[in-house]
Amino acid sequence: MSDMINGASNPLSKRYTPENISHLAPDEVFVFGSNLAGMHGGGAARTALLHFGAIMGKGTGLQGQSYAIPTMQGPPETIKPYVDDFIRYAEEHPSLTFLVTRIGCGIAGFDDAEIAPLFADATKLNNVVLPKSFWDYLV
């Protein structure tokens, strides 16, 4: 994976999630936006379902080599608790690398400026990789 991200050893280094993720190393996790019902019908959720072990009917948390963060239930403040849960999970699993997609910025209809700040605490973790468009609002 090291050829797909920039910098990785330094906290707060800008590590960018690749635009298109088609495969993962065994220690990588695809982080995607979901809905609470776990109906992974489109966007990154569909990719997670088809390729990375997401489970239909499960809208949150680790599933195979993917991690679902619900984004369809309301405004960004309703997403924040799920992002906070994800960040805690990433802290507790430093041997895994989490590739965060532009959650909430597709089907859910939010823009990067609304979602990126929810991931501010994730910038301190070496094992969380964020989209470049999120970094633009974080540092």
Side-chain angles (χ1 to χ4, degrees):
M1 179 65 201
S2 60
D3 59 318
M4 298 172 88
I5 57 176
N6 302 326
S9 61
N10 181 355
L12 303 178
S13 68
K14 292 183 181 179
R15 303 165 314 265
Y16 305 139
T17 305
E19 289 287 323
N20 294 301
I21 300 170
S22 58
H23 65 280
L24 296 171
D27 63 344
E28 293 176 333
V29 177
F30 182 83
V31 181
F32 67 100
S34 182
N35 56 65
L36 286 169
M39 302 310 294
H40 308 310
R46 183 162 173 76
T47 299
L49 177 67
L50 295 176
H51 303 289
F52 304 126
I55 300 166
M56 190 63 83
K58 185 174 180 189
T60 63
L62 188 69
Q63 310 170 36
Q65 265 189 283
S66 64
Y67 189 103
I69 298 176
T71 60
M72 303 286 288
Q73 67 280 350
E77 53 268 16
T78 69
I79 299 169
K80 184 171 178 14
Y82 296 102
V83 172
D84 292 345
D85 287 346
F86 159 71
I87 292 169
R88 271 191 298 279
Y89 187 86
E91 285 176 323
E92 294 167 1
H93 295 85
S95 64
L96 297 174
T97 298
F98 297 89
L99 305 176
V100 178
T101 63
R102 290 181 64 234
I103 72 150
C105 298
I107 296 167
F110 299 105
D111 61 32
D112 298 291
E114 294 173 288
I115 300 298
L118 304 178
F119 286 89
D121 289 340
T123 64
K124 300 170 189 157
L125 302 177
N126 283 323
N127 63 331
V128 175
V129 182
L130 300 172
K132 182 182 182 312
S133 59
F134 282 17
W135 278 108
D136 292 343
Y137 291 96
L138 291 170
V139 287

